[in-house]
Amino acid sequence: MKKTFFIHTFGCQMNQYDSELVDGILSKEGMVRVDSYEKADICLVNSCSVRELAAQKARSELGMFAAYKRKSKKPVYYGIIGCLAEQEGKHFLVKFPDIDFIIGPAYERQIGAYAKKVLAGGGTAVVTGPGKEDWTADELIKRESKKNAWVTVSKGCNSFCSYCVVPYVRGRETSRPFGSIISEVEKLVGEGYKEINLLGQNVNTYGKDFSAIEKKDFSELLKAVDDIKGEFWVRFWTSHPKDIPLKLIETVASSKKICPHFHLPIQSGSDRILKLMNRNYTAESYLRIIGEIKKRIKNVSVTSDIIVGFPGETEADFRRTLELYKKAAFDVAYTYTYSARKGTKAFDIKETVSETMKNERLRELMNIQREISQEVNDKYIGQVLPVLLDGTVVEDNLLNGRTNNNKPIFVEGNACKGGFVRVKITETKPFSLKGVLAQDVRKGL
Ligand code: SF4
């Protein structure tokens, strides 16, 4: 009988991509993915260590797997992959002595071989640290969606923001070969995928590690993807504000398929805190960049991430973040309280902001953002926007979709298979739009 496996994924899109990749690799070994750990022979948690809460959830999932292994009548194998596996490594053996897999991100592409070894009685696979560069396994990815695909363009990060574990757990940045990305996107478009999401910790530095002969940058990659024939959209995640050249903004502005949306995490509006965070830009230079983006790209949306309560953040620093919020007028901002992560530079800075104060600041930002998002969305009333319907219906006669500038939208209309349409906006909420199919239903591109 075929062996079965279960994966519970925590964290960012990169982890979701990795889980789809692990799914493809184990499927190639003849195993079958199941939707519950109680049906599985191999139980895996793909972990995140960016925030303590996510790390706790992964540990408690492991506890559940361990209990299942003890009580199960059949042999069960369990383990952890992803960022927390890299960060805590063999320390998991102390709390979970019968664990079977501890696999860091650099070794997930070899999980097929490790699974075979463990199933054959070869003992626990503990593999962490820098791995061998290999992008060939990425072709095995088994995507959950048939319309929306994540395509990794680079791995790791060289930015070393002082609060972030990513450079330590995912290693230095390496770019995927240009041709490999283009041929994967061509294949996906041929298979009918409608939305391609190019993914990297900082896509803007794509190609910086290439030799002079193969030199390509992210703008050139976007241009080449835009030139691929077919009906599809392209999004990209995430852009570091310190690395945005005008060339990239102009490439998006002149493209046919690149969606008008930049996710540009600001993290703080205080230059003093930005310096402590090692972000390498100022509030003013950030505002200049988004000014250029908004000037050159029609109906562009700019979204951001903000951390409140970084060690040393004073009331005055926080007020600067509020001022920046008002000037930037983000479409959406994702706000987080600071979570100290062992091994980062910021971990050694004494925390000065209480949890109560962090939560108060968070609430204040969220309330202001709600008002700003409503104002930003109100300007779309009466406009016709390109929309990709995903083929699902939320209520009777309300179709689920997303605008090209990445706003969730509900469209009045009859059942529809999904695809590109044009929608006239009739109602707005802070974080969604509502509309009707435009009279002249045409392709959204
Ligand atoms: S850019 Fe900064 S926050 Fe983003 S992954 Fe790299 S180190 Fe972490």
Side-chain angles (χ1 to χ4, degrees):
M1 219 165 87
K2 288 189 169 182
K3 292 285 180 206
T4 53
F5 64 95
F6 169 79
I7 314 173
H8 189 156
T9 309
F10 290 99
C12 63
Q13 292 97 344
M14 194 62 87
N15 265 16
Q16 283 165 28
Y17 176 91
D18 289 345
S19 288
E20 292 181 343
L21 187 54
V22 167
D23 185 350
I25 294 168
L26 293 180
S27 299
K28 185 167 171 269
E29 297 298 337
M31 300 180 204
V32 179
R33 187 170 182 176
V34 287
D35 59 5
S36 148
Y37 72 92
E38 288 167 312
K39 296 180 195 160
D41 300 304
I42 296 177
C43 308
L44 296 172
V45 54
N46 189 358
S47 60
C48 168
S49 61
V50 163
R51 300 181 59 74
E52 182 50 27
L53 187 62
Q56 279 169 9
K57 284 184 186 167
R59 288 187 203 105
S60 103
E61 186 90 358
L62 270 188
M64 220 162 60
F65 294 164
Y68 171 54
K69 177 169 179 159
R70 277 195 300 276
K71 72 169 197 233
S72 175
K73 293 196 176 68
K74 65 171 185 179
V76 168
Y77 307 87
Y78 76 98
I80 183 161
I81 62 175
C83 296
L84 194 64
E86 179 67 36
Q87 198 176 25
E88 299 194 0
K90 59 180 171 18
H91 295 295
F92 277 110
L93 290 165
V94 178
K95 188 151 184 223
F96 302 101
D98 59 352
I99 195 168
D100 300 286
F101 301 92
I102 303 169
I103 300 182
Y107 292 90
E108 287 166 3
R109 284 161 175 78
Q110 285 100 52
I111 197 165
Y114 294 121
K116 279 204 281 194
K117 185 172 162 246
V118 167
L119 290 171
T124 306
V126 185
V127 273
T128 56
K132 194 164 66 79
E133 251 347 290
D134 176 20
W135 289 94
T136 51
D138 290 60
E139 289 161 19
L140 299 173
I141 191 166
K142 203 168 162 196
R143 295 188 164 84
E144 284 174 25
S145 168
K146 294 289 166 234
K147 296 193 177 93
N148 178 336
W150 297 97
V151 175
T152 301
V153 303
S154 60
K155 292 186 279 198
C157 184
N158 294 348
S159 293
F160 287 94
C161 302
S162 67
Y163 51 85
C164 181
V165 290
V166 168
Y168 305 98
V169 294
R170 288 196 172 260
R172 296 299 86 77
E173 187 174 303
T174 43
S175 305
R176 182 174 177 177
F178 193 85
S180 156
I181 299 169
I182 299 301
S183 56
E184 182 168 19
V185 176
E186 283 171 343
K187 183 166 159 273
L188 289 166
V189 172
E191 288 169 3
Y193 279 85
K194 297 293 174 211
E195 190 176 289
I196 307 294
N197 289 272
L198 303 178
L199 185 62
Q201 303 293 348
N202 178 13
V203 288
N204 300 348
T205 46
Y206 173 81
K208 287 237 156 99
D209 52 324
F210 287 160
S211 69
I213 307 164
E214 52 181 3
K215 209 79 198 155
K216 295 276 185 197
D217 64 22
F218 187 60
S219 305
E220 289 164 292
L221 179 66
L222 277 184
K223 173 83 180 66
V225 171
D226 189 49
D227 286 342
I228 293 172
K229 288 203 168 49
E231 189 187 50
F232 65 101
W233 278 352
V234 184
R235 302 187 189 279
F236 53 95
W237 316 80
T238 286
S239 286
H240 195 307
K242 73 179 164 56
D243 300 307
I244 292 221
L246 214 48
K247 180 181 173 189
L248 175 59
I249 301 171
E250 281 167 352
T251 303
V252 177
S254 62
S255 73
K256 299 178 287 300
K257 296 166 187 147
I258 316 293
C259 291
H261 170 220
F262 280 77
H263 184 65
L264 274 181
I266 172 77
Q267 307 301 13
S268 171
S270 156
D271 290 346
R272 198 179 68 82
I273 296 296
L274 287 172
K275 196 154 188 220
L276 286 173
M277 288 176 162
N278 193 32
R279 292 291 288 175
N280 291 301
Y281 53 82
T282 62
E284 195 191 326
S285 67
Y286 180 91
L287 287 170
R288 230 183 358 255
I289 292 164
I290 64 169
E292 288 296 338
I293 291 172
K294 290 183 181 189
K295 190 168 81 190
R296 287 160 198 266
I297 306 173
K298 188 174 175 236
N299 282 345
V300 70
S301 69
V302 178
T303 55
S304 197
D305 295 332
I306 283 105
I307 296 171
V308 291
F310 188 83
E313 183 187 74
T314 61
E315 187 59 24
D317 292 316
F318 177 63
R319 294 291 136 201
R320 287 193 186 100
T321 299
L322 289 176
E323 280 163 30
L324 180 128
Y325 245 54
K326 289 174 191 158
K327 288 183 188 157
F330 296 121
D331 291 68
V332 177
Y334 303 94
T335 23
Y336 306 90
T337 54
Y338 171 73
S339 172
R341 307 307 298 142
K342 205 169 169 193
T344 61
K345 281 241 167 78
F347 189 78
D348 298 328
I349 312 177
K350 192 171 175 302
E351 285 221 46
T352 53
V353 188
S354 68
E355 288 306 310
T356 313
M357 181 56 77
K358 283 181 194 171
N359 285 319
E360 269 176 32
R361 289 179 182 171
L362 189 74
R363 263 194 305 278
E364 191 169 349
L365 278 181
M366 286 164 79
N367 288 340
I368 290 179
Q369 185 56 48
R370 177 170 281 275
E371 286 170 23
I372 294 172
S373 294
Q374 181 68 63
E375 267 174 43
V376 170
N377 280 352
D378 282 348
K379 75 172 192 230
Y380 290 108
I381 291 272
Q383 282 201 49
V384 174
L385 296 181
V387 168
L388 177 56
L389 295 174
D390 68 9
T392 62
V393 180
V394 263
E395 286 170 25
D396 279 352
N397 285 346
L398 269 192
L399 311 170
N400 217 0
R402 212 159 258 274
T403 61
N404 62 343
N405 58 6
N406 205 36
K407 291 176 188 289
I409 184 164
F410 305 107
V411 183
E412 289 174 29
N414 297 318
C416 155
K417 283 210 309 269
F420 292 107
V421 291
R422 294 177 71 81
V423 176
K424 185 167 183 184
I425 309 305
T426 53
E427 277 179 54
T428 60
K429 288 190 175 165
F431 306 117
S432 66
L433 306 175
K434 196 171 167 192
V436 292
L437 289 171
Q439 283 277 300
D440 57 338
V441 177
R442 291 178 309 217
K443 300 288 181 197
L445 295 170

